Amino acid sequence: MCLEFRYPLALTLSMVRSALDLFYAAHILFRFRTAFIAPSSRVFGRGELVIQPCQIARRYLGRTFWFDLVTALPLPQFVIWIVIPRLNESPTANRKNILRFSILFQYLPRLFQIFPLSRQIVMETGVMTETAWAGAAYNLILYMLASHVLGALWYLFSVQRQESCWREACLQESPACQTMFFDCKTVSGNRTIWYELSNITSLCTTSSGFYPFGIYGEALDANLMSSSFTQKYFYCFWWGLKNLSCLGQNLSTSLFIGEIAFAIVIGVLGLVLFGLLIGNMQSYLQATMVRLEEWRSKRTDMERWMHHRQIPQPLKQCVRRYHQYKWVATRGVDEEALLRDLPMDIRRDIKRHLCLDLVRRVPLFDEMDERMLEAICERLRPALYTRGTRLVRELDPVDSMLFIIRGYLDSYTTQGGRSGFFNSCRIGAGEFCGEELLTWALDPRPAAALPLSTRTVRAVSEVEGFALVADDLRFVASQFRRLHSAGVRHRFRFYSHQWRTWAACFIQAAWRRHKRRRASTEIRVREGGDVRGAARSLRRSRRHSIDGKAPINKPMEPDFTVEEED
């Protein structure tokens, strides 16, 4: 039946509080070195920055210095090690009251200092934290801090209420009861005799009805005062978190004004902090889901539109597959919009980082200099295609070249619908398609109309790459004359699918003509025996084959002699 003040716990408290006080002291030092903009100069543009230490100190001392000083003072340490040892009368009650007052007196300024500092960080940097989850965790920590303080105050008030019950029971007992008996330092024979004859243990319980404990009766029922420090801390923290979350609705108070005021503070503070917590956490967490919600909204609108227009089911599947693949590849981020907001120099460096290695893998460009490759990289645009998508159809205008990062394309041609003719090939990562546009751009005097595609290109898997549109390709070709060199021309012929197809078909046609001529000569020799006539016929067929045309049209090639004559 006594209260004890434990100095080992007081030492631990002093060390922790001293470490926290260093941060507030450092904040004061930083404020003495933080420049400010003179209010009188804001009328004329952006304002003049004041960096003189004396003017900064004068302004800080006239504003919030004293408030910051109160938050940084080590008041609990001063009370524990200076004030309490000098107390002589009623040490137990005075210790609790003084310590409780010092903690509250310093906690409130620190609490009010958190929100202006947070607002100032947001105003200066734009965000409180880099990630949404860190911002949500920050607001949750502030809420838990308030729960910890309320739980600690509830414990101190519970101790005070228990001691008040002891004192009231002491007044109704025999004169042998003295209030100094409730201090554990008091050891005497009179206290031992009093404790053995006293019924104060049965009176100061929540079930006896002798004293109205109100919201502090839970501490007595849980035997919290005689528990270990760890049990006290976590139970009080849970009590504060529970009642702060339910806004104190489960609290049944007595008629004590202080207790009612404490319950009112819990309800109001819980309402404010819970509203701020939910609002801030919702804002932070919604930032991580905003792209997903936009994608879902667009997909819903697309589904409704396709249903309204009665789009066939195969086309619906193609649209859904494209939207799904675009989300997987980009996560809803518009790369072009992000790059447009950056300065030219940074945008060029990012494009170089993303596309330079890809362009170097294209055999057509691997021997070009850095400036030419950077010009090409700067104008590349990201492109996505799903399986089954036709990038271009035969005889349609070609408006871009595509450099493939990943995926495969099928390129085939019927040579304009020629009967019995079909040629196909597979295009993979590091290759390109749309070389007709390169021929058109390299021509010194290109036609106004875009060239027609000689092949149909279809995606056989999900394809990701970069596209170079006609206007950008013409600009690069006009600015860098090395694209017109003979080396680039030969490499273009070697890697172009059009030239490969033409060469293969030309060789096949020549071989077939040779077989036919040889077979015709052998028949004539076998039938007439006229060797000289057969020889003359063979020479005529050779001259005819040389003067004849190839079975397919030769791919177009720019005539650089026009530029050389100029």
Side-chain angles (χ1 to χ4, degrees), residues 425 427 431-432 435 455 495-501:
C425 61
I427 305 175
E431 296 182 309
F432 62 94
E435 57 268 24
R455 311 179 68 86
Y495 290 102
S496 172
H497 297 288
Q498 298 182 63
W499 280 91
R500 289 182 181 182
T501 302

Side-chain angles (χ1 to χ4, degrees), residues 291 294 298 326 330 332-343 347 350-351 354 380-382:
R291 299 293 181 186
E294 291 179 356
K298 292 180 180 179
K326 186 176 180 180
T330 64
V333 177
D334 188 356
E335 297 182 4
E336 289 297 317
L338 293 178
L339 292 176
R340 281 196 300 267
D341 295 336
L342 298 176
R347 184 165 66 245
I350 293 177
K351 284 282 190 176
L354 295 176
L380 290 180
R381 303 178 183 179

Side-chain angles (χ1 to χ4, degrees), residues 99-373:
L99 183 60
R100 182 168 57 246
F101 174 76
S102 63
I103 293 176
L104 281 176
F105 180 76
Q106 198 172 38
Y107 172 73
L108 291 178
R110 292 190 175 188
L111 177 64
F112 287 115
Q113 196 178 38
I114 292 176
F115 297 100
L117 287 176
S118 301
R119 185 174 63 253
Q120 186 176 0
I121 292 175
V122 174
M123 292 297 294
E124 295 295 334
T125 63
V127 291
M128 184 64 194
T129 57
E130 291 293 336
T131 61
W133 289 104
Y138 170 75
N139 287 275
L140 182 61
I141 290 175
L142 291 181
Y143 189 79
M144 296 175 68
L145 176 62
S147 302
H148 155 72
V149 174
L150 288 178
L153 292 177
W154 173 74
Y155 173 76
L156 292 178
F157 289 142
S158 299
V159 174
Q160 182 184 16
R161 186 59 60 88
Q162 186 181 35
E163 185 183 7
S164 299
C165 179
W166 290 349
R167 292 178 181 275
E168 188 168 340
C170 181
L171 294 177
Q172 297 184 9
E173 287 193 346
S174 62
C177 178
Q178 301 179 16
T179 56
M180 62 180 301
F181 289 163
F182 303 135
D183 188 355
C184 292
K185 291 184 177 181
T186 302
V187 179
S188 63
N190 294 333
R191 186 185 187 283
T192 304
I193 297 174
W194 163 80
Y195 181 72
E196 293 176 353
L197 300 177
S198 174
N199 62 346
I200 193 172
T201 304
S202 59
L203 286 178
C204 291
T205 59
T206 56
S207 58
S208 65
F210 172 75
Y211 191 83
F213 288 98
I215 62 176
Y216 310 109
E218 184 177 349
L220 275 72
D221 294 337
N223 200 18
L224 190 62
M225 284 66 172
S226 59
S227 302
S228 64
F229 173 77
T230 305
Q231 293 173 334
K232 292 178 181 180
Y233 176 80
F234 282 100
Y235 191 90
C236 293
F237 174 73
W238 161 242
W239 187 93
L241 183 63
K242 175 182 64 175
N243 289 280
L244 198 64
S245 301
C246 65
L247 311 182
Q249 297 180 11
N250 298 328
L251 298 178
S252 299
T253 64
S254 63
L255 297 179
F256 285 96
I257 301 300
E259 181 181 347
I260 296 174
F262 183 58
I264 292 174
V265 170
I266 293 177
V268 175
L269 188 62
L271 180 63
V272 174
L273 293 180
F274 192 73
L276 290 175
L277 174 66
I278 297 300
N280 291 331
M281 291 192 68
Q282 183 180 8
S283 300
Y284 278 109
L285 296 181
Q286 278 182 348
T288 62
M289 306 295 291
V290 61
R291 299 293 181 186
L292 182 59
E293 292 301 325
E294 291 179 356
W295 174 73
R296 288 175 179 173
S297 177
K298 292 180 180 179
R299 187 169 182 176
T300 302
D301 294 340
M302 182 60 68
E303 290 290 339
R304 292 175 180 175
W305 177 82
M306 290 190 298
H307 177 73
H308 175 69
R309 294 298 182 181
Q310 299 181 359
I311 304 298
Q313 191 65 27
L315 289 180
K316 288 184 179 180
Q317 292 297 333
C318 293
V319 173
R320 293 165 185 161
R321 189 162 53 246
Y322 171 75
H323 279 284
Q324 184 69 34
Y325 180 62
K326 186 176 180 180
W327 168 259
V328 173
T330 64
R331 294 297 179 183
V333 177
D334 188 356
E335 297 182 4
E336 289 297 317
L338 293 178
L339 292 176
R340 281 196 300 267
D341 295 336
L342 298 176
M344 178 64 69
D345 186 47
I346 299 178
R347 184 165 66 245
R348 183 182 297 110
D349 292 341
I350 293 177
K351 284 282 190 176
R352 174 188 174 90
H353 170 73
L354 295 176
C355 309
L356 185 60
D357 293 338
L358 172 66
V359 175
R360 285 185 183 278
R361 286 189 296 175
V362 178
L364 184 62
F365 299 145
D366 61 350
E367 294 183 356
M368 295 183 180
D369 55 16
E370 293 292 328
R371 292 181 62 249
M372 191 181 305
L373 293 178

Side-chain angles (χ1 to χ4, degrees), residues 487-524:
V488 174
R489 190 186 320 172
H490 293 311
R491 295 183 71 85
F492 173 73
R493 288 181 179 179
F494 182 79
Y495 290 102
S496 172
H497 297 288
Q498 298 182 63
W499 280 91
R500 289 182 181 182
T501 302
W502 176 82
C505 292
F506 189 88
I507 294 173
Q508 291 175 3
W511 176 254
R512 292 191 186 101
R513 288 195 301 271
H514 172 72
K515 296 287 288 184
R516 286 196 299 268
R517 290 195 302 269
R518 185 172 182 179
S520 177
T521 303
E522 291 177 355
I523 291 174
R524 290 184 179 182

